[in-house]
Amino acid sequence: MGTLHVEGWAPDYGTPLETDDAYAPDEGKVDDAVEVSGPWEPMGGHDDGVETVAFVDGVRRIDARLTIDDPSGPIPGLCGTYGVGALCWRRHHPSAEVTDVHIERLAVFTHGRNDPIPVAGPQLAYRTEAVADFDPALLIRHFHGAMRKAEGLLAERLAQAGTFVVSDGPINDLSATEKVGYIKTHRVPYLPPERMDIIARLTPGTRTPLFVIGAQSAQFPRYSWYLRLATLPGGHSWTGIVRCEASTKLGLEVAQRLADRSAALLPMVASEAHIDPRAPQNLVPIAALERALRRRMGDAAYIHRQLRSAVMRQGAA
């Protein structure tokens, strides 16, 4: 029998382990011999002295649910706000600064409708987009996809400027730039069973050998690796484990350097349980960036009231 554990994350945030075999890669799409073909052992990280690390992330919020009262039937929609930005950690000063903040307000309707939303006040203008399908669940998916696209564009722009980027979530742009996707929730069992035992042997500052996701038939292959941020009292073998990824266009040597760098640096900025409910995976710079973005998005209750008032005024006109 396995040993029972209580997850360290606050229950409202789910769990870092949300594995689902439906998301597992097809057989032959993971190459676990790209760096080490024989037995796997934990590999130590290496701090190569990189000067600046840009942590890129986005946050989103539903401001209001919408309904168009159409003669053909009700048409659902939503208004939402998302923010993306970067927190630049300049290690040799040392200092940290939130930069490149972009706040976007977006309305989305089903049934292909893109009816304009009345301006609800200063800086409360919503751009409207539509999904062709009738399924209301696609509204959130479309809204989230818009935020993820904005994150990817910012991460790529910073990386092209020569900054090392750690982007929260999988990387969207697989060009040959020095950016690392940082994935803190495990939905897919990428490693074959015979490799899984290495996870329990990882210590903070070490990583697995590289493997390639989408090695054969996938359209977007990427290098990936697991590393441990921290060990926690009462933790299980996957406590404090995150997965990182980088483009295969970088080549093996560059990917190894980025993997070694991430294994050395990321444990330095891992969060602690008395500070963050998703410790240690929700990195301190990412949590600080999320707080800054939420402040700049504005007060949710005020925005909801303004939206209701603007729509009512338009209906009465």
Side-chain angles (χ1 to χ4, degrees):
M1 283 181 66
T3 305
L4 181 65
H5 296 264
V6 174
E7 283 291 348
W9 282 22
D12 289 347
Y13 289 95
T15 169
L17 296 171
E18 295 182 352
T19 55
D20 187 340
D21 286 340
Y23 290 88
D26 295 338
E27 186 178 356
K29 287 189 177 181
V30 172
D31 179 0
D32 62 356
V34 64
E35 185 177 18
V36 176
S37 58
W40 275 17
E41 295 295 334
M43 305 179 73
H46 173 66
D47 182 354
D48 58 0
V50 62
E51 163 61 24
T52 302
V53 183
F55 296 88
V56 172
D57 196 11
V59 295
R60 60 181 172 89
R61 180 186 68 210
I62 304 303
D63 294 329
R65 295 286 181 170
L66 307 171
T67 300
I68 298 175
D69 193 3
D70 191 80
S72 64
I75 296 173
L78 64 79
C79 276
T81 301
Y82 66 80
V84 300
L87 188 142
C88 289
W89 175 27
R90 295 177 176 86
R91 300 179 59 215
H92 298 156
H93 288 148
S95 64
E97 178 187 9
V98 174
T99 67
D100 300 276
V101 171
H102 175 69
I103 304 297
E104 182 74 33
R105 305 197 190 275
L106 179 64
V108 188
F109 289 102
T110 61
H111 294 67
R113 295 284 290 266
N114 60 351
D115 296 36
I117 304 299
V119 176
Q123 299 182 339
L124 290 179
Y126 287 79
R127 178 170 54 86
T128 304
E129 295 182 352
V131 295
D133 202 287
F134 300 162
D135 185 359
L138 294 178
L139 296 171
I140 291 287
R141 192 178 306 169
H142 184 93
F143 181 54
H144 181 71
M147 183 192 72
R148 291 286 296 142
K149 181 178 179 180
E151 289 176 22
L153 290 172
L154 175 56
E156 179 61 14
R157 179 162 60 82
L158 292 173
Q160 286 185 1
T163 302
F164 173 54
V165 174
V166 176
S167 185
D168 194 56
I171 51 176
N172 293 329
D173 187 310
L174 293 175
S175 57
T177 52
E178 293 196 3
K179 58 185 184 295
V180 166
Y182 174 82
I183 300 96
K184 53 182 176 282
T185 301
H186 306 291
R187 293 183 62 84
V188 178
Y190 285 108
L191 296 181
E194 62 270 19
R195 296 292 198 191
M196 282 291 192
D197 71 298
I198 194 173
I199 299 297
R201 294 185 284 130
L202 291 177
T203 56
T206 64
R207 66 172 178 90
T208 66
L210 298 178
F211 52 97
V212 174
I213 299 170
Q216 296 176 12
S217 57
Q219 188 176 0
F220 303 110
R222 61 199 67 198
Y223 292 112
S224 191
W225 61 97
Y226 291 98
L227 63 88
R228 189 179 300 279
L229 296 171
T231 54
L232 301 181
H236 51 75
S237 61
W238 282 78
T239 298
I241 294 292
V242 296
R243 185 176 65 83
C244 296
E245 58 184 34
S247 172
T248 54
K249 293 180 182 178
L250 291 166
L252 180 59
E253 185 176 345
V254 174
Q256 288 172 314
R257 174 164 54 83
L258 297 185
D260 290 343
R261 180 189 292 172
S262 67
L265 294 186
L266 295 185
M268 296 181 187
V269 292
S271 54
E272 298 183 11
H274 67 282
I275 297 174
D276 194 299
R278 288 175 287 172
Q281 287 95 328
N282 202 42
L283 302 177
V284 171
I286 290 176
L289 174 60
E290 290 174 342
R291 290 192 296 270
L293 291 173
R294 289 191 178 99
R295 286 195 298 269
R296 301 193 192 192
M297 286 163 61
D299 181 75
Y302 169 78
I303 291 172
H304 189 266
R305 290 195 302 269
Q306 293 296 101
L307 276 168
R308 283 179 59 88
S309 297
V311 170
M312 290 174 68
R313 287 194 301 269
Q314 183 187 61

